[in-house]
Structures are given as structure tokens and as C-alpha cells.
Amino acid sequence: MQLPDSILMFKPSILQSMRGYNRERFIKDVTAGLTVGVVALPLAMAFAIASGLTPQTGIFTAIIAGFLIALFGGSKVQIGGPAGAFIVIVYGIVERYGVPSLIIATAMSGVLLFLMGLFRMGTLVRFIPVAVVIGFTNGIAVLIGLSQLKDFLGLSIPKLPADFFGMLSTLWAYQSTFNPYALAVSVGSLLTIIVWQHFLPALGPRTPLVHGKLTIIPGSIVALILGSIAVTTLNLPVETIGSRFGGIPAELPAFALPELNWETARFLFIPALTLAILGAIESLLCARVADGMVDERHDPNQELMAQGTANFITPFFGGMPATGTIARTVTNVKSGASSPIAGMVHALVLLLIVLVAAPLAALVPLPTLAAVLMFVAWNMGEWREFARLRSYRMPYRLTLLAVFFLTVVFDLTVAVEVGLVAACLTFIYRISSLSRSEPLVPPAAVSGAPQWNDSDLRVWRLYGALFFGAVKLIEDIEDHLPRHVAIVDLKNVIYLDSSGAEEMQHLARACQKRNITLILCGVIEQPLDMARRARLLDHPGVRQEPDLRAALAAGLALLPPGADNGPAPATAASPAA
């Protein structure tokens, strides 16, 4: 038995990137890594805090997972780390099962991701409909924004629930604890980010200092610095990382192994599967975006194996789920990265910050991090798709809106499951509607063919796919069988599944009972292979001909004497599917 190539070969993109590597590329990679490291710092802390974890959890994830994903990944420029898409799921796991269970669920998702890559399932992720992706992405963005209202408004809420209605009721119940100073810091930080990210680049080449130098610094870092200075110098009554978490330890993460038992793993399988599927979607979408920017093609299966490795190792060192991140990857590419070295440098920069500048992180105000996540949530959602829904068909609209609604109100897992089921049903319906049966009457079957009596010999031409959703086509033929010969032209049938083959066998048995010869003609590759495996062509009374002309000649020769004389009587054609 020959094993798949992906099982025998583990080929990180760094091996290919080192060919022709020189000092100039190394300098560009180091510069890009430094830039991305600075960008990743506030995002890593914000994602961890929003997930119900400590800020160092996000930083440790960005360091360990970021390094492993760059080292073993299938993309040359992708940056891995904690992502906003995981916030809702991670927060729910932590609230319901606790942090030790999150470690187990993350490690389980790592195993699933690695197996997905090992068995070449990287390309299958691309088959998830865009309506499902947009629906849950926008839903996650809404939940992220809603979860940040607590710190954005400075509400004194001991613990915010993970579910939508619980969030709303809790926020409403604690509205009297509104902190105007926190709101001022949040709004000021959000305006700083918006101005820095959107208005400074618009100044263009007329201001070379602004356009060429300052825009390299991310707006989140500027807001983080200004917010910390404002809260510290003005002594504002606003929560900071130090007041809530006691700061960030200036040390390396320690290895910790949680207690594992079968009952816990059984309950965590669905959350782990959700983490794995979402991580696969996020990382491969991010890699495809990066491909378009650097004119390279990533290896999706290798990328999934790298994501699996990172998610299996990282949680045991105090980390959370990680995946490819679009914002940091785009920053990496725009900063001149050309190899995975940039991603590894970004992880080392974060490590250096933890070891050297960890005490400064205690001054960071939580409303500023809430503003950073509000900005991330707004950019994460594809809000224009709601305005464009009119231009799409009803199934697309219903799928997108259903996934969005279920993500926000119920659960991401339920939303993805319902979305995929709805998309599959829509696809089955559309494909079955494209499959049709066309009865041919003389002389329409073949130009120049002799006339025959339609009650003795009938011809059907099938189009599309004969699968479980289109077997009614065969049932219609069974209802209108002639006395002697039935010809089915399959040259336009591109696919035949086991249900279609079984229904064809039913047709063959029906013909055999009535002493009718069934002639199949024009069968192409896949349908022919399925027909042979189902032993359809070996059935008594079934013949195969290369084309319709040969089938007609054989069919007319099988008619009893005098059966094919005279013009064909008018017959009602069976309706097309």
C-alpha cells in the first residue's frame, strides 16, 4: 500500500526560502519582524483579556505559536498568533469548563489540525461557502464589540457572561456603574487609531516624514502609549493591566500539564473541533491573501500541520489557541518580509519585550485595549455584504443571515453546522435542478436515422449529474418504458454516484421483468467507472454502445419483424427535471 506524499514528507517553506538567501533579505526580514512584533504586542494582550485570560497568555501565544508557525508553516510570510475569531469560543470554554479544560481543548484542536494536514484536507477548507464565512465572521465581530463595552464604558462588572442575552442583561444591569473617564480614554484611543491608520497615509508624498516614517508605527501602539501617559500623569480612575492582573511577569512561561481524563475530553471534543475548523479557515484564508501579495503559492497541508504543531505545544506553556492572522501578515509583507525568518524574529522581539519591558505593561489602561479591539472588530467584519444581499439569490441571503444570527444569538458551532447544512441543501437543489431528462422522438434522435414506433423503442438523453438528488429522472423513465427496447444516452452525464447507479439497476431489473432490452450509450469516464463497479453493465438484458447512432442501429435490429414499420405515433414526453 502506497502512503500519501503528505504522510511521508514534511516540507516547511523555510527549507525552500533558504535557497539563495543573502544578507539583504536577512536585513529586510529582521526589519519586518521588528515591526510586526510591535504591532502584535497590544493585539496579543487585548485578545487574551477579551477571552477571559491574563494578558501574558496572549503574549506567550504570540511568542511560542508565532515562532513554530513560522518555522514549520507552508507560507513564507504568514504570521501566527492569537486571533480575534477565537475570542468568543475561548471565552465560552473558560467560563463553562475553566482554564485547564482550555489547555486540553487547544491541544486536541492541534491534533485535529495536524491530522487534517497529514491527510491532505487543506484544500477541502476552501469548499466552505463564502456565505458561511462572511456570516460567522460578521457575527464574531459583533460579539467582540459587545464584549468590549464593559471596559469601553468602564462598567464595574465582576464577570461578563459569554452568551448574547446574558451580555445584554448584564450590561443593562450595571449601567449605573458607567465611568466617564474610561469612556474618554476609550474614545480618545479609538480616534487616535482611526486618525493614525486612515488619515495620515492619505496625506501622501506631500509630507514625506509622515508618509514614509510615522505610518510604519501602528496606530494601536500610538494609542497604547498616549493612553498610558494620560492615565498615569492625570491619575485618572481607570482600570489598568496592573490594577486588574498585577502586571506581566518578566519571565519565560513554565511547562504545565493539566489533569486529563476521558470524561473531560469527551465534553471538550466539540469545542476542540470548532477551534480546529475555525483555525484552519482563518489560517488558510490568511495564507491565500498573502499569496496574492507576494506572488507565491502556499502549501495548505503543510500550513495545517504547522498550525496543529503550534496549537498542541503552546497551551502547555500558558498559551491559548493560535492561527494565521491577516492584519499582522499584511504588515509583515508590507514591511518587506521575504521568508519565515521575519515571523521568527517577530516572536523573538516579543520575548525580548517580556524580559525587558514587562513592568511598563502594567500602566496600559484597559479602555485603550478595548478601543483597539473595537477597531479590530470593525475591520474584521465585511459589513458591505449586507448592503449587497439584494444582488444575490434567496438561498445565499438566507444562509448568510442565518449564520450571522445564530453566531450572535446562539453559538458559533451551531451557526457553522446550520450554515454548512443549508449550503449543502442549496447546492443539492441547484445541481438537481440542472440535471434533466430529454425524451427523443424520431427523427430528432439522430439525423438520417430511420423511423420507428415509439411504443416499441424509446430514447432518453440525460444531462448533468445522476446522484441521490436527481434519481427521479430514472424513475420517470421506468414509468414510460416501451414494449421492446429502451435506450438511455448518457454522454452528457458528468457524474454518477452510488444512489444513481442503484436506481439504474432498478431500471435494469424493471426492463428484465418486461423482457425489454436496455441499451446504455455514450457513457464517459466517471459514470462508466461507477457503472462497472456497480456491475450494472453485467446485468442481464443491458447492453452498452459507444454512441447514440450505434445504439439506435442495435435497438432497431432487436425489434420483432414489423414493429418498426410506419410513422411513430404521437406520445407525451416525460417532463424534464
Side-chain angles (χ1 to χ4, degrees), residues 424-441:
C424 289
L425 292 176
T426 301
F427 177 77
I428 292 170
Y429 171 75
R430 298 298 294 273
I431 293 299
S432 63
S433 66
L434 293 175
S435 302
R436 60 190 178 89
S437 171
E438 180 182 292
L440 301 181
V441 294

Side-chain angles (χ1 to χ4, degrees), residues 300-362:
N301 298 308
Q302 180 64 41
E303 186 62 36
L304 288 181
M305 286 190 279
Q307 301 286 339
T309 303
N311 279 282
F312 181 77
I313 295 175
T314 302
F316 298 117
F317 291 91
M320 58 186 289
T323 186
T325 57
I326 294 179
R328 277 158 275 177
T329 299
V330 170
T331 303
N332 189 41
V333 174
K334 289 185 176 180
S335 300
S338 64
S339 78
I341 297 296
M344 298 163 69
V345 170
H346 129 270
L348 296 176
V349 168
L350 287 171
L351 177 61
L352 185 64
I353 291 174
V354 168
L355 297 177
V356 176
L360 296 177

Side-chain angles (χ1 to χ4, degrees), residues 192-537:
T192 300
I193 297 172
I194 294 173
V195 170
W196 198 270
Q197 296 290 116
H198 291 288
F199 290 99
L200 284 186
L203 295 176
R206 293 175 299 174
T207 53
L209 174 63
V210 172
H211 188 261
K213 304 292 183 182
L214 294 183
T215 52
I216 296 177
I217 306 173
S220 56
I221 287 293
V222 177
L224 196 114
I225 294 173
L226 294 181
S228 301
I229 293 174
V231 170
T232 304
T233 56
L234 299 177
N235 197 25
L236 299 177
V238 171
E239 270 198 296
T240 63
I241 288 179
S243 65
R244 182 180 293 183
F245 301 102
I248 296 177
E251 58 186 17
L252 296 175
F255 178 81
L257 191 65
E259 183 180 351
L260 179 62
N261 58 71
W262 169 244
E263 285 299 315
T264 303
R266 184 166 62 90
F267 283 114
L268 292 175
F269 178 75
I270 294 300
L273 181 62
T274 305
L275 288 172
I277 293 175
L278 188 57
I281 294 172
E282 283 284 306
S283 62
L284 296 184
L285 284 178
C286 178
R288 290 181 67 181
V289 171
D291 288 349
M293 297 181 68
V294 298
D295 197 23
E296 293 277 354
R297 181 171 295 180
H298 73 283
D299 182 346
N301 298 308
Q302 180 64 41
E303 186 62 36
L304 288 181
M305 286 190 279
Q307 301 286 339
T309 303
N311 279 282
F312 181 77
I313 295 175
T314 302
F316 298 117
F317 291 91
M320 58 186 289
T323 186
T325 57
I326 294 179
R328 277 158 275 177
T329 299
V330 170
T331 303
N332 189 41
V333 174
K334 289 185 176 180
S335 300
S338 64
S339 78
I341 297 296
M344 298 163 69
V345 170
H346 129 270
L348 296 176
V349 168
L350 287 171
L351 177 61
L352 185 64
I353 291 174
V354 168
L355 297 177
V356 176
L360 296 177
L363 304 176
V364 175
L366 295 181
T368 296
L369 290 181
V372 170
L373 280 184
M374 285 285 194
F375 185 76
V376 169
W378 176 256
N379 286 283
M380 178 181 176
E382 299 185 45
W383 312 111
R384 294 180 181 176
E385 290 299 317
F386 288 124
R388 295 173 53 192
L389 282 177
R390 293 183 185 178
S391 60
Y392 294 103
R393 293 180 179 271
M394 186 58 68
Y396 179 93
R397 299 183 206 171
L398 292 177
T399 301
L400 193 154
L401 292 175
V403 173
F404 173 75
F405 177 78
L406 292 171
T407 300
V408 173
V409 176
F410 292 100
D411 182 74
L412 179 63
T413 307
V414 175
V416 173
E417 289 173 353
V418 171
L420 288 177
V421 170
C424 289
L425 292 176
T426 301
F427 177 77
I428 292 170
Y429 171 75
R430 298 298 294 273
I431 293 299
S432 63
S433 66
L434 293 175
S435 302
R436 60 190 178 89
S437 171
E438 180 182 292
L440 301 181
V441 294
V446 176
S447 178
Q451 298 247 335
W452 68 86
N453 192 318
D454 202 28
S455 61
D456 293 316
L457 184 151
R458 287 183 183 170
V459 181
W460 290 267
R461 176 173 289 162
L462 303 185
Y463 297 84
L466 282 182
F467 68 116
F468 60 90
V471 293
K472 189 177 183 300
L473 300 178
I474 311 299
E475 294 174 355
D476 289 341
I477 294 176
E478 289 185 35
D479 294 337
H480 298 84
L481 287 174
R483 287 197 294 260
H484 299 293
V485 179
I487 299 176
V488 181
D489 185 1
L490 299 173
K491 75 172 184 178
N492 294 309
V493 173
I494 58 174
Y495 177 72
L496 176 69
D497 75 346
S498 56
S499 298
E502 183 179 1
E503 195 61 35
M504 290 293 292
Q505 288 178 323
H506 288 167
L507 175 62
R509 284 193 288 269
C511 290
Q512 183 184 12
K513 288 179 181 178
R514 304 182 194 181
N515 293 320
I516 300 171
T517 300
L518 175 62
I519 301 178
L520 306 179
C521 63
V523 192
I524 59 176
E525 297 175 1
Q526 192 278 335
L528 180 60
D529 178 64
M530 176 58 73
R532 286 170 175 166
R533 285 190 284 141
R535 308 184 73 87
L536 173 63
L537 302 178

